[in-house]
Amino acid sequence: MDLIFDAFKVRKSQGKQFVPDVRAANPVGFRGLPVISNTPCGSGCNKCVEDCPTNAIQLSPFSLDLGKCVFCDECARVCPSQKVSFTAGYRMASRTPEGLVMREGSNSLGPVEASEQIKKLFGRSLKLRSVSAGGCNGCELEVNAMANVNFDMGRYGIDIVASPRHSDGLILSGPISANMAVALELCYEGMPDPKFVIAVGACAISGGVFEESVALDRSFLGRFAPELYVAGCPPHPLSIVNGILDLMGHADGRW
Amino acid sequence: MSITNVLLANKSDLETLSYDAFRTRIKSDTVAGNRLVSFFATPSPSAPDQVGELHCVSIKSGRLCHFRSIWSSGVKYQQLTSEVHAIHCFEREVHEQFGLEMPGHPWLKPIRFEGKALKRMNDYPFYKLEGKEVHEVGVGPIHAGVIEPGHFRFMCFGETVEHLEIHLGYQHRGVEAMLPKTSLRKISPLIESIAGDTAVGYALGFCRAMEALCGLTVADEVESIRGIASELERIAMHLVGLGGLATDVAFLPGSSTYGRIRTAIINLSMRLCGSRFGRSWFRPGELRFPFLQSHRDDIRKTLGQVQKDISIINKLFQESKTVQHRLKTTGAVPAKLAEEIGLVGMAARASHLNRDLRTELKSGVYAKFPIDLITEPDGDCWSRGMVRLREIDVSIEWILKVCESLGDVEAGSRVDYSPRPNSRVVSVEEGWRGEVFHYLETGDMGQLTRYKVQDPSIRNWFGLAQAVKSNAIYDFPICNKSFDLSYCGNDL
C-alpha cells in the first residue's frame, strides 16, 4: 500500500517535464550555432585556422563548416577581430553537407527543405534504427535523449525501434570504423524500402576529429548519401528533432 | 594542491629492471597486494613494429609506481597471465600490437582487431561447447537499443549461460596511432572523444599529464572546479545507468525519472561550460570558462532540487519487489574473483573492493575535501546499482561542500605548450566508470613519441563475461547495463 503512495509521490515530483515547443526552446548556455560577422580578417591572420582541431575553417573568403566543427570555441577566442561567436541556436541541420557551411555575415543556416516523399510516406509515423559506427557514445546518448520525457519525440510519431526490419530511417553516428563498415551495410540492407539515412554529428558527416584515421571505411556514404545531416559534437537533441521534423514537413513543433 | 595521480620522469631516470627482475617484481607485487594499474609495451625506436620496452604501473600503499624493462629480441617472453590473472588483457594487447610471442598464454584473443587484423573479425573461431542440448546464441554487433556495437557469443545449456565470449573491436578508430601525430593545440577534442561519456575524465588525465610535462601549474580553485566537473559527469552517467537498469527490468517510473534528473544535471554542466558533456571545459594549464557567483547559485539550486527529487525515486526503486527480484543475486562477481581478474572502478567497489583512486591517492582537491568510499558486499547487479545510487548522493554533497569554498574564478588565457624533452609521464584519474590511464612519452624536441591510453573497460569486460556464467540468458541485458562498459574505450 505504501508503495502506491510512493509511486504517486514520484509522479508528482515528476511534474510536466516536456519541452512544450521544440521549435521555440531555449537551451540556456548551449554553445551552438555560430554567428559569423562581416568584420574583415586582420591581414595575414590565420590564428583560427591554426587552432581549429578539424580544419573546419577556410579563409579569404571566410567560411566555417559545421559538418566538421566540434564547437570547441577555440576560433572564437583566438580571433582578434571577433569574427566568430557561438550562440545557443540549435537549428543546425541540412539536406546536404554543403548546406552546413556558414559564410561571412551569416547568422543562421537555411531552413531544412522538407522532402515531399518522406513527408508523404513517413510524415505521421517515422521509425528509426540507430547504428553507432565508431561513435564515442556522445551522439548515442543524445539520440537516446530525444526519446526521454524532456524532448519526447514520440509525440510527433518518431520512434527508435529495435529491428532494422521495422525501421524507415537509419540514424548513423560515428566516423564509420572499418571494423563496423560491413555490419552497418548489412543493417541498411536489412531495412525494407523505402528507406533513408540520417547522419548525426561531426564524425558521421565528415569524420570529425577522426578524419585522418586510417582505421575508417567511409565508403558507405558514397553509396547511400544521407537525406539529412545534423551538426554538433555531439548534436543537441533539439538539433536532431528539429532537423527530422523539418525533413518530415512538420509546420510547427506543437502536436 | 599536491597532485599525486601523476608521475613524471626523465627517460633515463625511470626505474629499469632486467627482464627476469621485471617479471619477478610483477609477481611479487601481486602477492604483496599491490594493485596492477597497467602493463604495456612501447615500440623499439629502430623497428616500430617490435617491442622496445615493457612497462608496468601499479599502486603501492597509496603511491603510484612505474618501472620498465628494456626488451631485447633475443629473450623469450614468458607469459604471466597463468599466474597473475589480472594481466591477461594487457598481455593480449601487447601480443596484438607487436606480435610478441607468448607461449603457453591461455587466451590470446585480439582485444580490438587492429592493424593487420583490421576487418578480419569474422575469421575468429569462437570457443565452442559441444553436446546434444547445448546451443549457441550470437548477439550484435548491432543491438536493440541505441548503444555502441559489440558482439556477444553465448554457449547455453537450456536457458543457462555456460560461457560468454565477448568480441570487441567494431569501434576501433586508431586513436593511439593518431594521438602522437596530432598537434598539441588541436589534440584535446580528440582526447575528449576517446570515450565521449567520460569526456571530463579523459580531459583531466590529459591536462595533468601535460601540466607535469610542461611545468605548468593551475590554481587550487581550478583544481576544485575540475573536481566539480568530474563529479557532475559521474552523477550524470550514474543516472543514465540507473535509468537503463530501470528500463531493462521494465520499471518505468525509474526509467523516466532518472532520465529527466540526468537532464537537469547535464544542463547544469551546459550552463557552466556550454556543453552537456563538459567538452572543452578544461585545457592543460587553464580553465576555459569563468566560474562566478551566478554559477555557484545555479549549482546549489539545481543540486538542491535534485537531492529532493532523487530521494523520492530512490525509495520507490529500492523498495520495489520487481526491481529487487531481478537485480539481487543476478550476475554476481564475488570479491575474490573480482580481485583476481583485476576489476576496477565502480564494478570493483560493488564487489567489495576498495578501489577508488579518489580515496587511494587522495590527489589534489580530494585531499582537501575527502570523498567517501562506497562499496557494496555482493557484487551482483543490485550491488552495482546501489554503488551508483549511493555515489550520486555522495558526489552531490561533495560538490556542494567544494562549491562553498570557492569564490569567483576567471577564465584563464591561452597557454603555449612546450613539453620537456625525453620525458615520460603517467597520469591516472578516477572517471565515473573507473580509472582512466594516460602515458605520454616525449622525444628530443619535446614532441610526443608515444601516447598510450587505457579505459577501465578493457579490464572490466572480462568481469561481465564471468558475471553472466550460470545466469539465465534473459538476464544478460541487466548484467551488461549494470557494468555499463565502454566499447570505444576498449576499442580505441
Side-chain angles (χ1 to χ4, degrees), chain A residues 19 22 25-32 71 88-92 138-139 141-143 145-146 150-151 200-201 230-243, chain B residues 263 266-267 270 274-277:
Chain A
V19 176
V22 295
N26 180 22
V28 177
F30 177 53
R31 186 167 53 254
F71 299 81
Y90 53 83
R91 300 291 285 271
M92 292 188 286
C139 288
L141 283 165
E142 293 297 45
V143 168
M146 293 197 296
N150 308 106
F151 302 105
V200 161
V230 187
C233 183
H236 197 287
L238 286 168
S239 305
I240 318 175
V241 174
N242 275 285
Chain B
T263 305
I266 60 177
N267 283 351
M270 177 168 78
S275 158
R276 306 205 322 154
F277 296 84

mmCIF file of all heavy atoms in Angstrom, chain A residues 19 22 25-32 71 88-92 138-139 141-143 145-146 150-151 200-201 230-243, chain B residues 263 266-267 270 274-277:
data_model
loop_
_atom_site.group_PDB
_atom_site.id
_atom_site.type_symbol
_atom_site.label_atom_id
_atom_site.label_comp_id
_atom_site.label_asym_id
_atom_site.label_seq_id
_atom_site.Cartn_x
_atom_site.Cartn_y
_atom_site.Cartn_z
ATOM 1 N N VAL A 19 9.499 19.666 -23.120
ATOM 2 C CA VAL A 19 9.719 20.959 -23.763
ATOM 3 C C VAL A 19 8.461 21.220 -24.589
ATOM 4 O O VAL A 19 8.165 20.469 -25.523
ATOM 5 C CB VAL A 19 10.948 20.888 -24.698
ATOM 6 C CG1 VAL A 19 11.144 22.189 -25.453
ATOM 7 C CG2 VAL A 19 12.189 20.520 -23.906
ATOM 8 N N VAL A 22 9.362 22.294 -29.310
ATOM 9 C CA VAL A 22 10.788 22.075 -29.619
ATOM 10 C C VAL A 22 11.305 23.068 -30.658
ATOM 11 O O VAL A 22 12.500 23.212 -30.845
ATOM 12 C CB VAL A 22 11.078 20.635 -30.104
ATOM 13 C CG1 VAL A 22 10.801 19.632 -29.009
ATOM 14 C CG2 VAL A 22 10.324 20.317 -31.369
ATOM 15 N N ALA A 25 12.448 26.339 -28.213
ATOM 16 C CA ALA A 25 13.070 26.068 -26.917
ATOM 17 C C ALA A 25 14.256 27.014 -26.714
ATOM 18 O O ALA A 25 14.720 27.647 -27.658
ATOM 19 C CB ALA A 25 13.545 24.623 -26.862
ATOM 20 N N ASN A 26 14.715 27.091 -25.477
ATOM 21 C CA ASN A 26 15.851 27.963 -25.192
ATOM 22 C C ASN A 26 16.872 27.227 -24.329
ATOM 23 O O ASN A 26 16.805 27.279 -23.112
ATOM 24 C CB ASN A 26 15.360 29.236 -24.476
ATOM 25 C CG ASN A 26 16.507 30.176 -24.170
ATOM 26 O OD1 ASN A 26 17.561 30.105 -24.802
ATOM 27 N ND2 ASN A 26 16.306 31.048 -23.186
ATOM 28 N N PRO A 27 17.777 26.503 -24.956
ATOM 29 C CA PRO A 27 18.768 25.750 -24.164
ATOM 30 C C PRO A 27 19.842 26.689 -23.615
ATOM 31 O O PRO A 27 20.893 26.876 -24.235
ATOM 32 C CB PRO A 27 19.349 24.757 -25.177
ATOM 33 C CG PRO A 27 19.143 25.393 -26.512
ATOM 34 C CD PRO A 27 17.974 26.330 -26.406
ATOM 35 N N VAL A 28 19.568 27.261 -22.451
ATOM 36 C CA VAL A 28 20.441 28.299 -21.882
ATOM 37 C C VAL A 28 21.864 27.773 -21.704
ATOM 38 O O VAL A 28 22.066 26.705 -21.124
ATOM 39 C CB VAL A 28 19.891 28.771 -20.517
ATOM 40 C CG1 VAL A 28 20.834 29.794 -19.873
ATOM 41 C CG2 VAL A 28 18.504 29.359 -20.688
ATOM 42 N N GLY A 29 22.802 28.521 -22.221
ATOM 43 C CA GLY A 29 24.207 28.159 -22.036
ATOM 44 C C GLY A 29 24.775 27.301 -23.147
ATOM 45 O O GLY A 29 25.991 27.108 -23.220
ATOM 46 N N PHE A 30 23.931 26.768 -24.013
ATOM 47 C CA PHE A 30 24.401 25.859 -25.064
ATOM 48 C C PHE A 30 25.333 26.590 -26.027
ATOM 49 O O PHE A 30 25.018 27.683 -26.485
ATOM 50 C CB PHE A 30 23.187 25.297 -25.822
ATOM 51 C CG PHE A 30 23.525 24.393 -26.982
ATOM 52 C CD1 PHE A 30 24.363 23.300 -26.799
ATOM 53 C CD2 PHE A 30 23.000 24.636 -28.238
ATOM 54 C CE1 PHE A 30 24.675 22.468 -27.867
ATOM 55 C CE2 PHE A 30 23.296 23.803 -29.314
ATOM 56 C CZ PHE A 30 24.134 22.718 -29.123
ATOM 57 N N ARG A 31 26.485 25.990 -26.293
ATOM 58 C CA ARG A 31 27.387 26.546 -27.296
ATOM 59 C C ARG A 31 27.045 25.902 -28.630
ATOM 60 O O ARG A 31 27.476 24.805 -28.930
ATOM 61 C CB ARG A 31 28.846 26.300 -26.911
ATOM 62 C CG ARG A 31 29.833 26.988 -27.833
ATOM 63 C CD ARG A 31 31.266 27.015 -27.287
ATOM 64 N NE ARG A 31 31.723 25.692 -26.910
ATOM 65 C CZ ARG A 31 31.860 25.259 -25.671
ATOM 66 N NH1 ARG A 31 31.579 26.041 -24.659
ATOM 67 N NH2 ARG A 31 32.276 24.047 -25.418
ATOM 68 N N GLY A 32 26.176 26.603 -29.359
ATOM 69 C CA GLY A 32 25.669 26.041 -30.602
ATOM 70 C C GLY A 32 25.956 26.935 -31.777
ATOM 71 O O GLY A 32 27.086 27.421 -31.941
ATOM 72 N N PHE A 71 32.711 22.577 -32.062
ATOM 73 C CA PHE A 71 32.193 23.582 -31.127
ATOM 74 C C PHE A 71 33.082 23.735 -29.891
ATOM 75 O O PHE A 71 32.599 23.842 -28.768
ATOM 76 C CB PHE A 71 30.737 23.248 -30.752
ATOM 77 C CG PHE A 71 29.833 23.251 -31.945
ATOM 78 C CD1 PHE A 71 29.759 22.147 -32.789
ATOM 79 C CD2 PHE A 71 29.092 24.374 -32.258
ATOM 80 C CE1 PHE A 71 28.958 22.166 -33.927
ATOM 81 C CE2 PHE A 71 28.287 24.407 -33.393
ATOM 82 C CZ PHE A 71 28.215 23.286 -34.223
ATOM 83 N N ALA A 88 23.318 30.151 -28.561
ATOM 84 C CA ALA A 88 22.585 28.964 -28.093
ATOM 85 C C ALA A 88 21.669 28.397 -29.179
ATOM 86 O O ALA A 88 20.855 27.521 -28.914
ATOM 87 C CB ALA A 88 21.788 29.306 -26.833
ATOM 88 N N GLY A 89 21.820 28.876 -30.407
ATOM 89 C CA GLY A 89 20.984 28.372 -31.514
ATOM 90 C C GLY A 89 21.207 26.881 -31.742
ATOM 91 O O GLY A 89 22.333 26.404 -31.667
ATOM 92 N N TYR A 90 20.122 26.186 -32.003
ATOM 93 C CA TYR A 90 20.252 24.724 -32.172
ATOM 94 C C TYR A 90 19.736 24.236 -33.518
ATOM 95 O O TYR A 90 19.721 23.035 -33.764
ATOM 96 C CB TYR A 90 19.539 23.993 -31.030
ATOM 97 C CG TYR A 90 18.096 24.421 -30.847
ATOM 98 C CD1 TYR A 90 17.085 23.868 -31.620
ATOM 99 C CD2 TYR A 90 17.752 25.374 -29.902
ATOM 100 C CE1 TYR A 90 15.773 24.273 -31.465
ATOM 101 C CE2 TYR A 90 16.449 25.794 -29.733
ATOM 102 C CZ TYR A 90 15.456 25.239 -30.531
ATOM 103 O OH TYR A 90 14.170 25.653 -30.380
ATOM 104 N N ARG A 91 19.290 25.166 -34.377
ATOM 105 C CA ARG A 91 18.811 24.720 -35.695
ATOM 106 C C ARG A 91 20.016 24.553 -36.606
ATOM 107 O O ARG A 91 20.407 25.475 -37.305
ATOM 108 C CB ARG A 91 17.826 25.749 -36.259
ATOM 109 C CG ARG A 91 16.602 25.970 -35.375
ATOM 110 C CD ARG A 91 15.681 24.763 -35.349
ATOM 111 N NE ARG A 91 14.908 24.628 -36.574
ATOM 112 C CZ ARG A 91 13.723 25.187 -36.782
ATOM 113 N NH1 ARG A 91 13.164 25.925 -35.852
ATOM 114 N NH2 ARG A 91 13.082 24.999 -37.914
ATOM 115 N N MET A 92 20.594 23.360 -36.551
ATOM 116 C CA MET A 92 21.835 23.122 -37.274
ATOM 117 C C MET A 92 21.766 21.816 -38.052
ATOM 118 O O MET A 92 22.410 20.837 -37.717
ATOM 119 C CB MET A 92 23.016 23.080 -36.301
ATOM 120 C CG MET A 92 23.319 24.424 -35.668
ATOM 121 S SD MET A 92 24.833 24.403 -34.733
ATOM 122 C CE MET A 92 24.341 23.488 -33.298
ATOM 123 N N GLY A 138 28.791 9.863 -27.262
ATOM 124 C CA GLY A 138 28.221 11.191 -27.085
ATOM 125 C C GLY A 138 26.952 11.317 -27.920
ATOM 126 O O GLY A 138 25.864 11.570 -27.405
ATOM 127 N N CYS A 139 27.074 11.084 -29.233
ATOM 128 C CA CYS A 139 25.901 11.148 -30.120
ATOM 129 C C CYS A 139 24.845 10.133 -29.695
ATOM 130 O O CYS A 139 23.645 10.418 -29.738
ATOM 131 C CB CYS A 139 26.307 10.862 -31.567
ATOM 132 S SG CYS A 139 27.249 12.213 -32.315
ATOM 133 N N LEU A 141 24.173 8.964 -26.741
ATOM 134 C CA LEU A 141 23.420 9.430 -25.569
ATOM 135 C C LEU A 141 22.419 10.515 -25.971
ATOM 136 O O LEU A 141 21.306 10.576 -25.438
ATOM 137 C CB LEU A 141 24.383 9.972 -24.500
ATOM 138 C CG LEU A 141 25.113 8.890 -23.695
ATOM 139 C CD1 LEU A 141 26.303 9.485 -22.944
ATOM 140 C CD2 LEU A 141 24.184 8.208 -22.707
ATOM 141 N N GLU A 142 22.791 11.379 -26.918
ATOM 142 C CA GLU A 142 21.876 12.434 -27.329
ATOM 143 C C GLU A 142 20.735 11.892 -28.194
ATOM 144 O O GLU A 142 19.617 12.397 -28.143
ATOM 145 C CB GLU A 142 22.631 13.566 -28.043
ATOM 146 C CG GLU A 142 23.597 14.346 -27.140
ATOM 147 C CD GLU A 142 22.927 15.097 -25.981
ATOM 148 O OE1 GLU A 142 22.057 14.518 -25.305
ATOM 149 O OE2 GLU A 142 23.300 16.260 -25.747
ATOM 150 N N VAL A 143 21.022 10.864 -28.988
ATOM 151 C CA VAL A 143 19.940 10.231 -29.759
ATOM 152 C C VAL A 143 18.954 9.584 -28.781
ATOM 153 O O VAL A 143 17.738 9.706 -28.922
ATOM 154 C CB VAL A 143 20.495 9.191 -30.762
ATOM 155 C CG1 VAL A 143 19.383 8.326 -31.346
ATOM 156 C CG2 VAL A 143 21.255 9.896 -31.881
ATOM 157 N N ALA A 145 18.428 10.580 -25.794
ATOM 158 C CA ALA A 145 17.746 11.646 -25.061
ATOM 159 C C ALA A 145 16.534 12.183 -25.827
ATOM 160 O O ALA A 145 15.582 12.675 -25.225
ATOM 161 C CB ALA A 145 18.717 12.784 -24.757
ATOM 162 N N MET A 146 16.546 12.056 -27.161
ATOM 163 C CA MET A 146 15.394 12.526 -27.939
ATOM 164 C C MET A 146 14.106 11.842 -27.509
ATOM 165 O O MET A 146 13.010 12.374 -27.687
ATOM 166 C CB MET A 146 15.599 12.242 -29.427
ATOM 167 C CG MET A 146 16.706 13.038 -30.064
ATOM 168 S SD MET A 146 16.532 12.993 -31.839
ATOM 169 C CE MET A 146 16.767 11.266 -32.212
ATOM 170 N N ASN A 150 11.815 14.724 -21.634
ATOM 171 C CA ASN A 150 12.001 16.141 -21.927
ATOM 172 C C ASN A 150 11.754 16.451 -23.407
ATOM 173 O O ASN A 150 10.970 17.327 -23.738
ATOM 174 C CB ASN A 150 13.408 16.593 -21.547
ATOM 175 C CG ASN A 150 13.770 16.213 -20.129
ATOM 176 O OD1 ASN A 150 14.548 15.298 -19.904
ATOM 177 N ND2 ASN A 150 13.169 16.882 -19.166
ATOM 178 N N PHE A 151 12.424 15.708 -24.267
ATOM 179 C CA PHE A 151 12.319 16.022 -25.701
ATOM 180 C C PHE A 151 11.179 15.234 -26.350
ATOM 181 O O PHE A 151 10.578 15.677 -27.318
ATOM 182 C CB PHE A 151 13.661 15.786 -26.386
ATOM 183 C CG PHE A 151 14.748 16.609 -25.756
ATOM 184 C CD1 PHE A 151 15.697 16.038 -24.918
ATOM 185 C CD2 PHE A 151 14.762 17.983 -25.923
ATOM 186 C CE1 PHE A 151 16.663 16.806 -24.291
ATOM 187 C CE2 PHE A 151 15.722 18.765 -25.296
ATOM 188 C CZ PHE A 151 16.677 18.178 -24.482
ATOM 189 N N VAL A 200 24.305 11.892 -38.079
ATOM 190 C CA VAL A 200 24.233 12.702 -36.868
ATOM 191 C C VAL A 200 25.638 12.936 -36.307
ATOM 192 O O VAL A 200 26.359 11.980 -36.009
ATOM 193 C CB VAL A 200 23.337 11.980 -35.827
ATOM 194 C CG1 VAL A 200 23.593 12.515 -34.443
ATOM 195 C CG2 VAL A 200 21.869 12.153 -36.183
ATOM 196 N N GLY A 201 26.028 14.199 -36.191
ATOM 197 C CA GLY A 201 27.303 14.545 -35.554
ATOM 198 C C GLY A 201 28.448 14.689 -36.537
ATOM 199 O O GLY A 201 28.434 14.130 -37.639
ATOM 200 N N VAL A 230 22.990 16.370 -39.422
ATOM 201 C CA VAL A 230 22.769 17.188 -38.228
ATOM 202 C C VAL A 230 24.112 17.479 -37.577
ATOM 203 O O VAL A 230 24.839 16.564 -37.183
ATOM 204 C CB VAL A 230 21.845 16.476 -37.212
ATOM 205 C CG1 VAL A 230 21.507 17.432 -36.072
ATOM 206 C CG2 VAL A 230 20.582 15.962 -37.883
ATOM 207 N N ALA A 231 24.442 18.786 -37.450
ATOM 208 C CA ALA A 231 25.753 19.191 -36.943
ATOM 209 C C ALA A 231 25.786 19.162 -35.424
ATOM 210 O O ALA A 231 24.772 19.305 -34.750
ATOM 211 C CB ALA A 231 26.092 20.588 -37.446
ATOM 212 N N GLY A 232 26.995 18.994 -34.889
ATOM 213 C CA GLY A 232 27.197 19.043 -33.443
ATOM 214 C C GLY A 232 28.225 18.022 -33.022
ATOM 215 O O GLY A 232 28.547 17.099 -33.770
ATOM 216 N N CYS A 233 28.769 18.210 -31.832
ATOM 217 C CA CYS A 233 29.745 17.247 -31.325
ATOM 218 C C CYS A 233 29.582 17.131 -29.823
ATOM 219 O O CYS A 233 30.337 17.702 -29.078
ATOM 220 C CB CYS A 233 31.167 17.660 -31.676
ATOM 221 S SG CYS A 233 32.402 16.449 -31.144
ATOM 222 N N PRO A 234 28.583 16.372 -29.360
ATOM 223 C CA PRO A 234 27.501 15.773 -30.159
ATOM 224 C C PRO A 234 26.404 16.803 -30.413
ATOM 225 O O PRO A 234 26.346 17.813 -29.721
ATOM 226 C CB PRO A 234 26.979 14.679 -29.220
ATOM 227 C CG PRO A 234 27.222 15.212 -27.850
ATOM 228 C CD PRO A 234 28.487 16.020 -27.937
ATOM 229 N N PRO A 235 25.509 16.536 -31.388
ATOM 230 C CA PRO A 235 24.394 17.449 -31.622
ATOM 231 C C PRO A 235 23.461 17.467 -30.414
ATOM 232 O O PRO A 235 23.295 16.451 -29.742
ATOM 233 C CB PRO A 235 23.661 16.838 -32.815
ATOM 234 C CG PRO A 235 24.591 15.857 -33.405
ATOM 235 C CD PRO A 235 25.482 15.378 -32.299
ATOM 236 N N HIS A 236 22.872 18.618 -30.157
ATOM 237 C CA HIS A 236 21.856 18.712 -29.105
ATOM 238 C C HIS A 236 20.621 17.929 -29.573
ATOM 239 O O HIS A 236 20.303 17.952 -30.762
ATOM 240 C CB HIS A 236 21.511 20.184 -28.893
ATOM 241 C CG HIS A 236 20.805 20.449 -27.601
ATOM 242 N ND1 HIS A 236 19.490 20.087 -27.399
ATOM 243 C CD2 HIS A 236 21.217 21.007 -26.438
ATOM 244 C CE1 HIS A 236 19.139 20.441 -26.154
ATOM 245 N NE2 HIS A 236 20.171 20.992 -25.561
ATOM 246 N N PRO A 237 19.922 17.253 -28.644
ATOM 247 C CA PRO A 237 18.703 16.539 -29.073
ATOM 248 C C PRO A 237 17.747 17.461 -29.835
ATOM 249 O O PRO A 237 17.067 17.019 -30.777
ATOM 250 C CB PRO A 237 18.081 16.070 -27.760
ATOM 251 C CG PRO A 237 19.211 15.996 -26.795
ATOM 252 C CD PRO A 237 20.205 17.036 -27.216
ATOM 253 N N LEU A 238 17.720 18.746 -29.460
ATOM 254 C CA LEU A 238 16.833 19.686 -30.163
ATOM 255 C C LEU A 238 17.250 19.843 -31.628
ATOM 256 O O LEU A 238 16.402 20.029 -32.504
ATOM 257 C CB LEU A 238 16.863 21.058 -29.481
ATOM 258 C CG LEU A 238 16.130 21.178 -28.144
ATOM 259 C CD1 LEU A 238 16.502 22.492 -27.465
ATOM 260 C CD2 LEU A 238 14.622 21.086 -28.332
ATOM 261 N N SER A 239 18.565 19.786 -31.886
ATOM 262 C CA SER A 239 19.033 19.898 -33.270
ATOM 263 C C SER A 239 18.538 18.721 -34.095
ATOM 264 O O SER A 239 18.108 18.881 -35.240
ATOM 265 C CB SER A 239 20.562 19.936 -33.333
ATOM 266 O OG SER A 239 21.081 20.963 -32.533
ATOM 267 N N ILE A 240 18.619 17.531 -33.501
ATOM 268 C CA ILE A 240 18.233 16.335 -34.264
ATOM 269 C C ILE A 240 16.715 16.319 -34.478
ATOM 270 O O ILE A 240 16.234 16.120 -35.593
ATOM 271 C CB ILE A 240 18.687 15.026 -33.553
ATOM 272 C CG1 ILE A 240 20.107 15.181 -32.974
ATOM 273 C CG2 ILE A 240 18.633 13.851 -34.519
ATOM 274 C CD1 ILE A 240 20.586 13.991 -32.155
ATOM 275 N N VAL A 241 15.956 16.558 -33.392
ATOM 276 C CA VAL A 241 14.495 16.507 -33.510
ATOM 277 C C VAL A 241 14.010 17.545 -34.528
ATOM 278 O O VAL A 241 13.202 17.241 -35.407
ATOM 279 C CB VAL A 241 13.816 16.762 -32.143
ATOM 280 C CG1 VAL A 241 12.304 16.863 -32.307
ATOM 281 C CG2 VAL A 241 14.146 15.658 -31.162
ATOM 282 N N ASN A 242 14.541 18.769 -34.443
ATOM 283 C CA ASN A 242 14.105 19.808 -35.375
ATOM 284 C C ASN A 242 14.469 19.461 -36.816
ATOM 285 O O ASN A 242 13.668 19.685 -37.720
ATOM 286 C CB ASN A 242 14.695 21.160 -34.985
ATOM 287 C CG ASN A 242 13.838 21.851 -33.946
ATOM 288 O OD1 ASN A 242 12.769 22.367 -34.264
ATOM 289 N ND2 ASN A 242 14.265 21.813 -32.700
ATOM 290 N N GLY A 243 15.661 18.926 -37.001
ATOM 291 C CA GLY A 243 16.066 18.538 -38.351
ATOM 292 C C GLY A 243 15.107 17.507 -38.925
ATOM 293 O O GLY A 243 14.677 17.604 -40.079
ATOM 294 N N THR B 263 18.876 14.960 -17.156
ATOM 295 C CA THR B 263 18.783 16.164 -17.984
ATOM 296 C C THR B 263 19.110 17.398 -17.154
ATOM 297 O O THR B 263 19.842 18.287 -17.604
ATOM 298 C CB THR B 263 17.374 16.311 -18.596
ATOM 299 O OG1 THR B 263 17.064 15.111 -19.297
ATOM 300 C CG2 THR B 263 17.303 17.476 -19.552
ATOM 301 N N ILE B 266 23.000 17.463 -16.649
ATOM 302 C CA ILE B 266 23.851 17.803 -17.805
ATOM 303 C C ILE B 266 23.530 19.203 -18.319
ATOM 304 O O ILE B 266 24.400 19.875 -18.862
ATOM 305 C CB ILE B 266 23.816 16.744 -18.936
ATOM 306 C CG1 ILE B 266 22.418 16.553 -19.497
ATOM 307 C CG2 ILE B 266 24.390 15.430 -18.472
ATOM 308 C CD1 ILE B 266 22.393 15.565 -20.652
ATOM 309 N N ASN B 267 22.304 19.667 -18.105
ATOM 310 C CA ASN B 267 22.023 21.052 -18.470
ATOM 311 C C ASN B 267 22.758 22.020 -17.543
ATOM 312 O O ASN B 267 23.129 23.118 -17.953
ATOM 313 C CB ASN B 267 20.519 21.329 -18.452
ATOM 314 C CG ASN B 267 19.838 20.757 -19.690
ATOM 315 O OD1 ASN B 267 20.499 20.312 -20.627
ATOM 316 N ND2 ASN B 267 18.517 20.761 -19.692
ATOM 317 N N MET B 270 26.057 22.265 -18.918
ATOM 318 C CA MET B 270 25.992 23.111 -20.113
ATOM 319 C C MET B 270 26.003 24.597 -19.733
ATOM 320 O O MET B 270 26.648 25.406 -20.393
ATOM 321 C CB MET B 270 24.733 22.764 -20.905
ATOM 322 C CG MET B 270 24.485 23.599 -22.137
ATOM 323 S SD MET B 270 23.187 22.895 -23.164
ATOM 324 C CE MET B 270 21.733 23.416 -22.259
ATOM 325 N N GLY B 274 28.974 25.284 -21.532
ATOM 326 C CA GLY B 274 28.495 25.298 -22.915
ATOM 327 C C GLY B 274 28.227 23.936 -23.510
ATOM 328 O O GLY B 274 27.665 23.829 -24.601
ATOM 329 N N SER B 275 28.662 22.856 -22.818
ATOM 330 C CA SER B 275 28.466 21.520 -23.367
ATOM 331 C C SER B 275 27.823 20.627 -22.323
ATOM 332 O O SER B 275 28.216 20.637 -21.159
ATOM 333 C CB SER B 275 29.810 20.928 -23.788
ATOM 334 O OG SER B 275 29.750 19.524 -23.837
ATOM 335 N N ARG B 276 26.846 19.832 -22.739
ATOM 336 C CA ARG B 276 26.171 18.921 -21.809
ATOM 337 C C ARG B 276 27.113 17.810 -21.329
ATOM 338 O O ARG B 276 26.816 17.100 -20.382
ATOM 339 C CB ARG B 276 24.937 18.294 -22.465
ATOM 340 C CG ARG B 276 24.025 19.369 -23.014
ATOM 341 C CD ARG B 276 22.579 19.039 -23.164
ATOM 342 N NE ARG B 276 22.140 17.756 -23.593
ATOM 343 C CZ ARG B 276 20.933 17.262 -23.268
ATOM 344 N NH1 ARG B 276 20.117 17.962 -22.504
ATOM 345 N NH2 ARG B 276 20.558 16.090 -23.726
ATOM 346 N N PHE B 277 28.237 17.647 -22.019
ATOM 347 C CA PHE B 277 29.180 16.589 -21.659
ATOM 348 C C PHE B 277 30.482 17.157 -21.096
ATOM 349 O O PHE B 277 31.460 16.436 -20.952
ATOM 350 C CB PHE B 277 29.456 15.703 -22.875
ATOM 351 C CG PHE B 277 28.226 14.977 -23.332
ATOM 352 C CD1 PHE B 277 27.310 15.583 -24.170
ATOM 353 C CD2 PHE B 277 27.958 13.699 -22.874
ATOM 354 C CE1 PHE B 277 26.154 14.932 -24.564
ATOM 355 C CE2 PHE B 277 26.802 13.034 -23.262
ATOM 356 C CZ PHE B 277 25.897 13.654 -24.100
#
